[in-house]
Amino acid sequence: MPLLERDSALASLAEYARQASAGEGRIVLVGGEAGVGKTALVEAFTAGRPKVVWGMCDGLFTPRPLGPLFDIAGQIGLDVAAVSRDELFAAALRALAGVDILVIEDLHWADEATVDLVRFLGRRLRGTLAILTYRDDALTPGDPLRVALGDLGTQRATRRIGLAPLSEPSVRALAEDRGVDPAELFRLTGGNPYLVSELLRDDSGGVPASARDAVLARAAQLPQTARLVLDVAALIGTRVDPRLLTGATRAAPEALDDLVASGLLIGDGTVLRFRHELARLAIAQAVPPHRTRPAHAAVLAALQRLGSSDDASMAHHAEAAGDAEAALHHAVRAARTAAGLRSHREAAAQYRRAVRADGDDPALLDALAVELSMIDAWAEVAEAAERARVLWRAAGNGLREGNALRVRASAWVSLCRGGDALTDLEAALAVLEPLGPTEELARAYAQLAKHRALADRNAEAIDLARRAQAIAAPLGRHDLLSDTLNTEAAARLMLGEAWIPLMRRALSVAIEHGHDEEAGRAYTNLYGLLCRARRFPEAEPVYREAIAYCDEHDVDTYGTCLRGERAASLARMGRWAEALALCRIVLTRVEEASPINRIYALYVHATIRARKDEPDVWAALDEAAESADGSGEPQWIIKARLGRAEAYWLAGKLSDARAEAELADDACARADGWLRGWVATWLARTGSDRPARGALAEPFALEIAGDFAGAAGAWEALGCPYDGALALLGASDEDSARRALQVFADLGATAAVRVARQRLRDLGARSVPVGPRTATRANSHGLTRREQQVLDLVAEGLTNAEIAARLVLSVKTVDHHVSAVLAKLGVASRTEAVGKTR
């Protein structure tokens, strides 16, 4: 079938190839629905070009880690002998230096290690055009590939090509003189090129009800022997080694020739492949059940005779063949290989398979729980840990029983079941402490230390962390040492003691000894605790270093936590558009698997939208409160409850706001001055008669003392305009209320503007500004009046300091306005911003 409506895409690929050959490097993401012609486009573009290598992701239930890399290894002279993943990635980058075009197909089936490889190459390729095809209709919101594509999309080297189905005129042109009703053909296929071609190839005289019928109709024309071989090929996968196929079927070469002649399979170097995955699925699903198991058994036997090292494939075929012993053997080997490559989803899938084969081996359940924890599957972690605990207890192995309790406790924390976590940790210690100073005991102490710190029981947290350190150090467990130094540092901060040197040491220990997860946690806490104290200038370089480390080392859990902390900090600094964008990323990444990691993003997202008077904020606030209460952690309870208090207050529901503020107060007895101050101001703002608890951070202390101008000045100095405006509203003079109203208007805080206008009326103001709401809506880019003023002065060539002087603002406030303008316009520089609005 001719390649229609793809001239623009081909021209784009040619231009990107030219740019890559100039040394820039290009990653091109080619997306579209199944059958839209991604492969046909790439084949047409690469035809006749030298130095092109192809790899393909498996369509098997549990793909082989790094399948595409192993596909191209022989083509680029890459030695894939047993080396670490990092060394393999570096070697692949070197080997690709001599390649003009790298193609990786069907990235939607990529295992985690392949996704990591793509991200690794995306940051480093030079002189090579990498074309990555994927189904954009096959990705769930939290799919790791969707996250990776989002990360790749922010890089300079990345370009996107989206392929749409054919238009009705093109389908009509293809159907001309074919005896097919073109309107009906377009209706049945939606313009999908593959479906169109399959239906047009069918010569049965009518239009089949579906492409599946068209594929099966073509298969039915094969000789009986070739038809049986085709069934086995479909069960093997999209790419088929002819040796494996003939070994499994004992077929003569002529049978393979018949398959190629039919067009169902095509030659692709040394392998055969189905022209399209839809065709393979149609064949595989039509294999009668009574023949499926023997066919898988034959494939497994052939793999074994060939000396295959592909444990993932052998585990798949062994399980499908009902061979539990072989499934167990190969699944465990495949899981260990995947885990070593940090392909944790595939490792978890293989351990699930191993457990299905032998559910009475607690060691398998332990290993499964570890891998599940890496992919945020905490409900499954709890289930696996409980099954392991029962089996270890029956076996009389106290060490492993205690460890299983600790693992289940970690699941309860992530699932916001803090009470259950504490129960399990106490039970673990009851089992482990009589057994002496073991690694298992140290890990239980370390986890209980975190639990105590998060409950604001900081002296106990320090004691437990020190106990864990005393055991971990002689054992050489640097991961545990880093983890407990981290916890101790956070606890000392809460007690008002020096903490940064300890946190820096936790970070250096983790980095020096290659413990990426612990380094990610140290970076996250260092950044988050600096931001908690509104030390934003110090925190900024930490964030840049931290997010680069987490992305570089694929520490996704803490990369997500960092982005959540960043969103909260941006919100405090008045950079709301950026904060909302980050919240959306975090909530997409976490979805529903880890409720604890959603709370902050839910709170920030909902409160900003409440301030902007946008609808539908309560579902997020309800979820945040439910998860926070379940966690039992004061910091989350305070954030969630004060978010609700503010939303009620903005809506004029003072009694509801007061009740939420008092719930936050119930949780803040042991909190630090920042959280206590935050609660105290909302108690006062909502008319509660409860007094402030203990010493408060300076801006809050000033406000509670009635120095509203001083509080606003302190907030301004810290770079927190919204908090400063809230403080001004407490004053009894009209000028303060007007200043607050202006800040709210500049931020686009429509609901807060309404509150400020009511405050002016209460003060007896003769004229109350209507506010910039209409003007902001009229602005085609959604800029507030102040943001447009700032942009106009940027266009005049003024620096931020000069703009500040012109508008009688602080330089920091202008910085925030400029950042907000860039975010709303979706540009990266002042020059781009000016150009986009001219």
Side-chain angles (χ1 to χ4, degrees):
M1 190 175 78
L3 198 63
L4 299 179
E5 300 182 2
R6 298 297 184 248
D7 290 347
S8 175
L10 288 169
S12 294
L13 286 172
E15 173 59 18
Y16 300 150
R18 186 195 64 75
Q19 294 170 359
S21 66
E24 296 183 45
R26 282 289 177 265
I27 300 285
V28 182
L29 306 174
V30 180
E33 66 184 45
V36 80
K38 300 180 291 293
T39 298
L41 172 74
V42 178
E43 287 177 341
F45 173 69
T46 57
R49 291 177 179 265
K51 299 182 181 178
V52 180
V53 297
W54 292 69
M56 181 177 287
C57 298
D58 269 328
L60 295 175
F61 177 72
T62 307
R64 176 181 57 161
L66 293 177
L69 184 58
F70 284 92
D71 284 345
I72 68 172
Q75 303 172 58
I76 62 176
L78 175 64
D79 183 4
V80 293
V83 294
S84 72
R85 192 185 79 150
D86 292 345
E87 292 172 326
L88 187 57
F89 282 14
L93 180 65
R94 290 193 297 272
L96 286 168
V99 171
D100 291 339
I101 300 175
L102 164 66
V103 180
I104 298 180
E105 287 206 83
D106 294 328
L107 204 61
H108 49 276
W109 283 321
D111 63 283
E112 282 184 292
T114 297
V115 172
D116 292 344
L117 173 65
V118 166
R119 294 163 77 173
F120 175 88
L121 294 175
R123 292 187 285 267
R124 298 168 177 82
L125 274 180
R126 297 292 181 272
T128 300
L129 174 66
I131 304 175
L132 315 176
T133 72
Y134 66 99
R135 290 189 198 169
D136 56 12
D137 61 344
L139 303 179
T140 61
D143 192 295
L145 178 59
R146 187 179 290 280
V147 175
L149 292 174
D151 292 342
L152 281 172
T154 65
Q155 297 179 17
R156 283 186 63 256
T158 301
R159 301 292 184 270
R160 292 178 182 268
I161 294 177
L163 297 186
L166 299 177
S167 65
E168 187 167 2
S170 288
V171 173
R172 185 177 298 278
L174 291 170
E176 190 174 1
D177 300 327
R178 300 294 295 271
V180 173
D181 179 355
E184 179 69 359
L185 180 62
F186 185 76
R187 186 189 70 79
L188 287 171
T189 65
N192 182 286
Y194 171 74
L195 299 180
V196 170
S197 66
E198 287 301 307
L199 296 177
L200 289 176
R201 279 197 185 104
D202 182 78
D203 59 1
S204 61
V207 178
S210 68
R212 177 177 178 274
D213 292 338
V215 172
L216 294 178
R218 290 173 61 196
Q221 299 171 17
L222 291 168
Q224 180 63 21
T225 300
R227 180 68 181 81
L228 296 174
V229 173
L230 180 66
D231 287 349
V232 176
L235 295 175
I236 290 174
T238 304
R239 292 168 64 89
V240 182
D241 184 336
R243 297 176 304 155
L244 175 60
L245 187 55
T246 55
T249 61
R250 308 292 185 180
E254 291 76 14
L256 273 61
D257 293 339
D258 289 337
L259 298 182
V260 173
S262 74
L264 288 165
L265 289 180
I266 60 175
D268 187 2
T270 60
V271 300
L272 300 173
R273 66 175 173 86
F274 281 84
R275 185 174 295 277
H276 196 282
E277 174 63 10
L278 292 176
R280 186 193 74 80
L281 287 174
I283 299 298
Q285 292 168 2
V287 178
H290 67 273
R291 286 182 40 222
T292 300
R293 179 172 285 198
H296 281 292
V299 174
L300 175 63
L303 284 167
Q304 291 168 336
R305 287 194 299 272
L306 290 170
S308 173
S309 60
D310 187 353
D311 287 296
S313 291
M314 287 193 279
H316 167 74
H317 292 296
E319 183 176 38
D323 188 339
E325 183 178 352
L328 174 63
H329 172 75
H330 291 295
V332 170
R333 287 169 57 95
R336 290 172 179 165
T337 298
L341 293 169
R342 300 181 202 156
S343 194
H344 298 296
R345 291 182 186 277
E346 286 62 45
Q350 294 294 357
Y351 276 126
R352 287 189 188 105
R353 176 176 279 141
V355 168
R356 288 196 295 270
D358 182 3
D360 294 326
D361 184 345
L364 287 179
L365 291 162
D366 283 347
L368 172 60
V370 169
E371 294 305 318
L372 289 169
S373 72
M374 297 292 187
I375 61 173
D376 232 14
W378 292 105
E380 285 188 79
V381 172
E383 180 184 353
E386 170 59 11
R387 290 175 62 187
R389 182 196 68 80
V390 171
L391 291 168
W392 286 125
R393 183 177 179 84
N397 191 324
L399 278 179
R400 303 311 301 163
E401 178 192 354
N403 191 67
L405 283 163
R406 178 192 63 80
V407 170
R408 189 170 65 169
S410 69
W412 295 147
V413 169
S414 292
L415 294 169
C416 292
R417 293 173 57 176
D420 292 330
L422 182 57
T423 298
D424 273 357
L425 284 172
E426 290 173 343
L429 289 176
V431 172
L432 293 170
E433 283 183 326
L435 301 178
T438 62
E439 179 183 332
E440 289 80 0
L441 178 61
R443 293 194 182 280
Y445 281 147
Q447 190 158 326
L448 185 57
K450 292 180 198 174
H451 194 282
R452 292 290 192 248
L454 292 170
D456 290 332
R457 296 168 63 173
N458 296 294
E460 295 175 54
I462 292 169
D463 176 64
L464 286 162
R466 290 260 174 118
R467 288 196 224 174
Q469 291 166 22
I471 299 172
L475 295 176
R477 296 306 318 185
H478 297 102
D479 54 338
L480 260 174
L481 181 60
S482 170
D483 189 59
T484 51
L485 287 168
N486 186 327
T487 301
E488 182 182 352
R492 292 196 180 280
L493 166 67
M494 299 297 288
L495 294 174
E497 301 175 11
W499 66 280
I500 290 182
L502 269 177
M503 191 67 77
R504 287 285 186 188
R505 186 181 167 209
L507 178 59
S508 65
V509 167
I511 291 176
E512 179 183 352
H513 295 280
H515 296 297
D516 294 343
E517 294 288 328
E518 285 70 23
R521 180 177 179 240
Y523 267 129
T524 299
N525 282 347
L526 178 58
Y527 175 70
L529 293 173
L530 285 171
C531 290
R532 184 178 184 134
R534 280 61 168 180
R535 294 163 65 172
F536 300 127
E538 290 177 69
E540 191 68 24
V542 172
Y543 177 77
R544 290 196 298 268
E545 181 181 327
I547 203 68
Y549 183 94
C550 288
D551 287 350
E552 181 77 16
H553 293 79
D554 306 307
V555 188
D556 289 340
T557 297
Y558 288 109
T560 299
C561 291
L562 274 165
R563 288 176 170 89
E565 289 283 2
R566 178 66 167 176
S569 300
L570 291 169
R572 290 175 183 139
M573 291 186 282
R575 295 160 62 177
W576 290 357
E578 296 170 79
L580 289 172
L582 264 182
C583 286
R584 287 190 286 270
I585 291 172
V586 170
L587 293 173
T588 297
R589 286 185 174 208
V590 178
E591 288 192 288
E592 300 175 358
S594 184
I596 198 79
N597 288 335
R598 290 175 58 85
I599 298 174
Y600 219 168
L602 287 166
Y603 154 75
V604 173
H605 195 262
T607 51
I608 291 176
R609 293 182 67 241
R611 293 166 187 173
K612 293 164 70 68
D613 206 20
E614 295 181 359
D616 304 324
V617 300
W618 282 101
L621 290 171
D622 289 345
E623 181 187 337
E626 182 180 0
S627 295
D629 290 346
S631 76
E633 297 178 20
Q635 62 163 332
W636 297 128
I637 294 171
I638 291 168
K639 289 181 177 72
R641 291 298 167 184
L642 290 187
R644 295 168 68 81
E646 182 177 350
Y648 278 129
W649 178 77
L650 289 168
K653 299 180 178 180
L654 196 62
S655 60
D656 290 327
R658 184 184 310 120
E660 294 290 345
E662 289 178 349
L663 287 172
D665 183 55
D666 292 340
C668 82
R670 297 189 180 93
D672 69 347
W674 288 99
L675 287 177
R676 287 198 304 269
W678 192 18
V679 172
T681 54
W682 276 104
L683 289 172
R685 196 169 288 133
T686 57
S688 174
D689 57 4
R690 293 193 185 186
R693 296 175 182 263
L696 312 180
E698 181 192 20
F700 298 118
L702 290 170
E703 184 172 349
I704 293 300
D707 185 359
F708 302 107
W715 284 122
E716 177 74 13
L718 291 170
C720 301
Y722 185 79
D723 291 296
L726 286 178
L728 286 171
L729 276 188
S732 58
D733 63 290
E734 188 177 315
D735 182 61
S736 293
R738 290 186 185 278
R739 287 170 56 200
L741 187 148
Q742 185 62 61
V743 172
F744 293 146
D746 289 345
L747 289 169
T750 305
V753 165
R754 185 172 58 242
V755 173
R757 287 204 296 263
Q758 183 58 51
R759 178 62 173 158
L760 281 168
R761 294 188 193 100
D762 293 343
L763 292 170
R766 293 186 177 181
S767 63
V768 178
V770 174
R773 184 177 183 183
T774 302
T776 299
R777 285 182 172 175
N779 187 294
S780 61
H781 300 289
L783 302 181
T784 66
R785 180 182 60 82
R786 180 68 83 186
E787 287 166 353
Q788 187 62 56
Q789 284 180 324
V790 169
L791 179 57
D792 290 341
L793 294 175
V794 167
E796 291 181 23
L798 273 63
T799 66
N800 284 9
E802 291 167 335
I803 294 171
R806 179 81 65 88
L807 298 177
V808 195
L809 298 172
S810 73
V811 175
K812 188 170 295 185
T813 297
V814 174
D815 290 342
H816 297 157
H817 286 315
V818 171
S819 295
V821 168
L822 298 182
K824 286 184 178 181
L825 297 179
V827 297
S829 71
R830 299 158 73 95
T831 301
E832 289 180 83
V834 173
K836 188 168 184 176
T837 55
R838 288 294 180 263

